[in-house]
Amino acid sequence: DAGGPAFHGSEEQQRNLIAFLSRQVGVVPGALAQAGASISMEAKRAVLDPRPGEWPSYSGTLDGNRFSTVDQINSTNVSQLRPAWVHPLPYNDLETTPLVADGVMYVTGPNQVYALDARSGSQIWSWVRPRSNAGEISGDAAKGAHRGAALLGDRIFLLTDNAHLVSLDRLTGAVRWE
């Protein structure tokens, strides 16, 4: 029991409420108490067969074709597209495709993840770890190359520049485990 009434709003309202509340009190750094909870079949299906408008993996779907079934944009209206928002990030050389799930866009750079409201561009949370000394790591990682993140259920997974696998909580950005 969380000590309050049950929430009866839509998924969008729940996401907006969580985003609002997380900005009010902040997120306590460190591992979450229930970091080892199992992944539900529903969460797995959300990646295996994403809903229209969702982009839960690097290529959108696991077959890697990078094709979206969303049909609001087509050859007759594409010329009317205009930027809806811009969210500057402290890293210029973005190399990966953002992930999108439940109206949240996850943008990554080396040792950093930003959760943005996909409609407004407002930042919900960010996780940033200082980059390693380039002399202590090798290859592309020393140059800042980054291969993006993976999403599954309530978790975001990424590899740091010094080859640490990190699991973040998708709603708060708190470290689940490393």
Side-chain angles (χ1 to χ4, degrees):
D1 182 14
F7 181 80
H8 297 291
S10 68
E11 286 184 30
E12 178 182 9
Q13 290 169 327
Q14 181 180 18
R15 178 184 51 80
N16 290 341
L17 177 62
I18 291 169
F20 172 78
L21 292 174
S22 71
R23 287 191 292 264
Q24 301 307 303
V25 297
V27 174
V28 178
L32 298 176
Q34 296 181 0
S38 64
I39 302 292
S40 71
M41 236 2 248
E42 180 182 346
K44 293 173 186 175
R45 275 196 241 31
V47 174
L48 294 170
D49 186 24
R51 296 182 308 221
E54 302 277 295
W55 202 265
S57 66
Y58 178 77
S59 295
T61 57
L62 298 182
D63 61 9
N65 71 5
R66 298 185 183 184
F67 176 77
S68 173
T69 59
V70 175
D71 60 2
Q72 291 95 343
I73 301 170
N74 55 51
S75 60
T76 62
N77 65 12
V78 69
S79 64
Q80 300 167 18
L81 289 178
R82 302 289 180 264
W85 53 263
V86 175
H87 185 88
L89 297 173
Y91 181 71
N92 295 326
D93 300 328
L94 296 177
E95 302 176 275
T96 63
T97 304
L99 305 177
V100 179
D102 299 322
V104 179
M105 178 180 287
Y106 302 93
V107 182
T108 62
N111 293 359
Q112 52 192 306
V113 180
Y114 298 88
L116 308 175
D117 182 311
R119 290 170 302 167
S120 68
S122 298
Q123 183 171 306
I124 298 168
W125 58 259
S126 66
W127 177 85
V128 178
R129 173 176 291 174
R131 289 189 47 198
S132 300
N133 180 335
E136 297 173 5
I137 55 177
S138 63
D140 289 343
K143 299 174 192 171
H146 178 69
R147 302 297 182 241
L151 180 145
L152 183 59
D154 57 359
R155 299 169 184 154
I156 298 282
F157 301 94
L158 73 147
L159 192 64
T160 63
D161 63 0
N162 62 347
H164 287 235
L165 181 60
V166 178
S167 173
L168 303 176
D169 184 84
R170 187 166 70 97
L171 296 176
T172 65
V175 175
R176 287 178 161 268
W177 52 259
E178 179 176 344

